[in-house]
Every structure is written in structure tokens, then in C-alpha cells.
């Protein structure tokens, strides 16, 4: 009985060695041994060592960024940087904000087709210096054919006309509306249509 077990182990070892040699000889003859070429034979196994790429550094989140999905192996071609003067300024004709207080008093701000942002951040279209104003405080633009004022989850709120107790989240504007940014003592603008 001991001899039968020993013979069975030797046979299993011989079969395993034969399979390994057969697989290696197929791999050396198959196109899969060359990088970038696949072998369609279902029972052949080929291991190709590829150099490991270092992990890409995580990019900071940008809510305004456009997501581009690439196919494997495709490399992106970066676009040439544009200067701000290369981008045409398209505005809604005759629609603007008039500054009523602060450094913007008397200034006229046309509303672009893509809308305008108000806040303390230098990335805003109308930069305000009041400490009650959030970095990205409010947005005014075209929504469903109506000029709309939208609070951008500001800390001290955006108010309209005499409703100084309740901050708005989004409201359609009418000519003559007064907008209060950052509270009733904050920056004020009047929405006007020529």
C-alpha cells in the first residue's frame, strides 16, 4: 500500500512538470509573449512583467472642471492656455446690476450669459471686501429664461428687497429689485433692465 501511494505521488509530480513545460513552450511560441499582443488560445497562461508606474498624485477637487474619460492606452493632449482677453464677453443686453453701497457704489455690472458671481474670492466676477460676505456668496444668471439670484450657501445669507429676515436660496429677479449681500447692512445692488 505504501508503494502504491509513492507511485501515485511520483505520477502527479511528473504530470505537473509536463504541464509546466508544455505551458512554457506554448508561451514562448505564442504572440502573447510579446508585450501588447494578446493570445486568443483559452487554455494558455502567460505572465508578462510590466514595470510598475508610480501612483499619480491626487489632484485637488475642482467643481468647475470638466471630466474627460480616456480609453486605456490613450494619452491626453493638453490644450494651449488661453488668456482672459481671448474669451469673448457675452452679456445679456441691457441687463445689469447697479452698485448702491461700498466700493461698488455707482458702478454698473453687466450680467454675462453664463452668469456672474459675487463674493470675497478673487475668482468672483464682482469682488466684495465686506467681512460679512462669503468667498463664493451668490450667483446671478439665466435659469429657464428668467434672470435668477441664487445664494451659494453663504454664511450670512442673501436677501431681497424688504424681506430682511429670511435669506433666499433662489429667486427670479424683477427690474428694480434690491439685493443685499451678507445681511441688511451688507453690500447692496439694484437689478436693472434698460
Amino acid at each position: 500500500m505504501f508503494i502504491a501511494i509513492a507511485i501515485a505521488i511520483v505520477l502527479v509530480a511528473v504530470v505537473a512538470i509536463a504541464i509546466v513545460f508544455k505551458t512554457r513552450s506554448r508561451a514562448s511560441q505564442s504572440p502573447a509573449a510579446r508585450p501588447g499582443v494578446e493570445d486568443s488560445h483559452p487554455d494558455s497562461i502567460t505572465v508578462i512583467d510590466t514595470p510598475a508606474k508610480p501612483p499619480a498624485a491626487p489632484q485637488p477637487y475642482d467643481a468647475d472642471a470638466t471630466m474627460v474619460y480616456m480609453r486605456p492606452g490613450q494619452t491626453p493632449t493638453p490644450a494651449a492656455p488661453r488668456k482672459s482677453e481671448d474669451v469673448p464677453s457675452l452679456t445679456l443686453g441691457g441687463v445689469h446690476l447697479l452698485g448702491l453701497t461700498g466700493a461698488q457704489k455707482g458702478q454698473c455690472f453687466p450680467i454675462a450669459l453664463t452668469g456672474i458671481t459675487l463674493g470675497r474670492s478673487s475668482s468672483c466676477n464682482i469682488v466684495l471686501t465686506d467681512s460679512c460676505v462669503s468667498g463664493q456668496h451668490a450667483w446671478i444668471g439665466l435659469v429657464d429664461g428668467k434672470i435668477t439670484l441664487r445664494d451659494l450657501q453663504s454664511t450670512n445669507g442673501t436677501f431681497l428687497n424688504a424681506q430682511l429676515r429670511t435669506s433666499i436660496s433662489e429667486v427670479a429677479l424683477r427690474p428694480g429689485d434690491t439685493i443685499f449681500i451678507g445681511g441688511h447692512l451688507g453690500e447692496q445692488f439694484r437689478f436693472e433692465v434698460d
Side-chain angles (χ1 to χ4, degrees), residues 134-192:
S134 296
Q136 296 275 333
H137 196 97
W139 175 86
I140 299 173
L142 196 61
V143 176
D144 295 330
K146 297 176 184 174
I147 303 297
T148 303
L149 169 64
R150 181 180 295 157
D151 184 81
L152 299 176
Q153 298 178 348
S154 64
T155 303
N156 294 315
T158 303
F159 302 87
L160 188 65
N161 299 327
Q163 297 175 337
L164 298 178
R165 292 186 183 197
T166 307
S167 175
I168 60 101
S169 59
E170 186 171 304
V171 65
L173 292 173
R174 293 180 298 201
D177 280 345
T178 301
I179 301 164
F180 296 82
I181 304 292
H184 65 281
L185 296 175
E187 301 280 347
Q188 298 175 25
F189 295 88
R190 182 180 307 123
F191 174 66
E192 297 181 342

Side-chain angles (χ1 to χ4, degrees), residues 8-52:
I9 291 174
V10 171
L11 284 176
V12 169
V14 170
V15 170
I17 292 171
I19 291 173
V20 169
F21 281 120
K22 185 175 182 182
T23 303
R24 283 190 182 171
S25 96
R26 262 195 206 158
S28 65
Q29 295 172 1
S30 83
R34 290 174 282 162
V37 179
E38 294 183 17
D39 185 11
S40 61
H41 198 277
D43 58 354
S44 68
I45 300 172
T46 304
V47 177
I48 300 173
D49 291 331
T50 56

